[in-house]
Amino acid sequence: MGNCLLRNRCPSSRNQPDEAKNLPVKSDLPVWSAERSITTEQLMRKRAEFWDTSPAYEGRKEIWDALKAAAEALETGNRDLAQAILDGASITLPTGFLSDCYDELGCRYVLPPYVLSRPTNIVTSKPEPATDVIVPTSPVTMAPDMHLKIRLSIGDVTTDEKLPVNSLERIADVKERLRQSHNLGKFRMRMICCGKILNDKTAIKDAKVPKGFIVQVIVTTDQE
């Protein structure tokens, strides 16, 4: 319980490397084995326990959330998305691996291998239910009352634009408008701000995008 008093004090920050030693995130995942064979459900529960409890001991919750999103993206092979999340949250990687990283205040975050990859001795379990992504067939039309600064990344091409939106629109509505205006079809799209992936069902006003901040939109070639 005493560790709770160390929250945000970051005692390990004195070991932080120079800012110049910030390497791009590597796609290599740790190879490890559990002491005993475990199922997918057991692994997911172990991961959930780590992500739920870590912010109570040290570091900032928004950084832990960004690290979780980056780890999930990297495990599914989406390195570009993982890098965008890390950059948006100003997280540095002295070795290029998520297992050891720092935030802009110098706090150190150490991630165990079980949140980064699956063990070699995982056993077959019941298939996990698929999560349906609800995307409207056409964007909701509302009178604009604000602008979003968008940085759209499609492969190696990046463009900036100001998108007129209504604060009551959902993130899914904004994505659909971008699909139509840029002929993106069903390519997978992620919107990120401050290192956090914005949920499709969230209204723009509830996403709490800081004034003047850029919302990164990462488009990948896999289908929704």
Side-chain angles (χ1 to χ4, degrees), residues 31-150:
V31 178
W32 64 284
S33 297
E35 293 183 3
R36 301 177 183 176
S37 296
I38 60 174
T39 65
T40 300
E41 286 84 357
Q42 289 172 326
L43 177 63
M44 293 302 106
R45 286 198 296 269
K46 189 175 180 67
R47 287 182 177 182
E49 181 180 1
F50 174 82
W51 294 121
D52 288 344
T53 58
S54 291
Y57 293 101
E58 189 175 36
R60 294 181 289 159
K61 185 179 186 304
E62 61 268 25
I63 299 297
W64 285 113
D65 290 343
L67 288 172
K68 179 182 179 183
E72 291 173 349
L74 201 60
E75 189 176 24
T76 58
N78 199 334
R79 180 193 168 281
D80 290 341
L81 177 59
Q83 186 66 63
I85 294 170
L86 295 171
D87 291 343
S90 299
I91 296 172
T92 59
L93 308 180
T95 64
F97 293 105
L98 276 178
S99 55
D100 190 15
C101 45
Y102 296 82
D103 66 17
E104 59 187 344
L105 299 180
C107 295
R108 187 184 186 192
Y109 299 77
V110 178
L111 305 186
Y114 62 80
V115 302
L116 301 173
S117 64
R118 298 186 175 217
T120 57
N121 57 341
I122 197 166
V123 297
T124 304
S125 55
K126 295 181 180 180
E128 299 175 5
T131 301
D132 296 329
V133 178
I134 301 175
V135 178
T137 56
S138 59
V140 175
T141 303
M142 298 183 184
D145 59 8
M146 61 178 293
H147 285 81
L148 276 184
K149 290 185 177 181
I150 298 292

Side-chain angles (χ1 to χ4, degrees), residues 178-191:
L178 290 171
R179 290 182 195 282
Q180 294 187 9
S181 61
H182 293 275
N183 296 318
L184 296 177
K186 293 298 182 181
F187 287 164
R188 186 174 294 276
M189 185 183 299
R190 294 289 182 269
M191 296 183 66

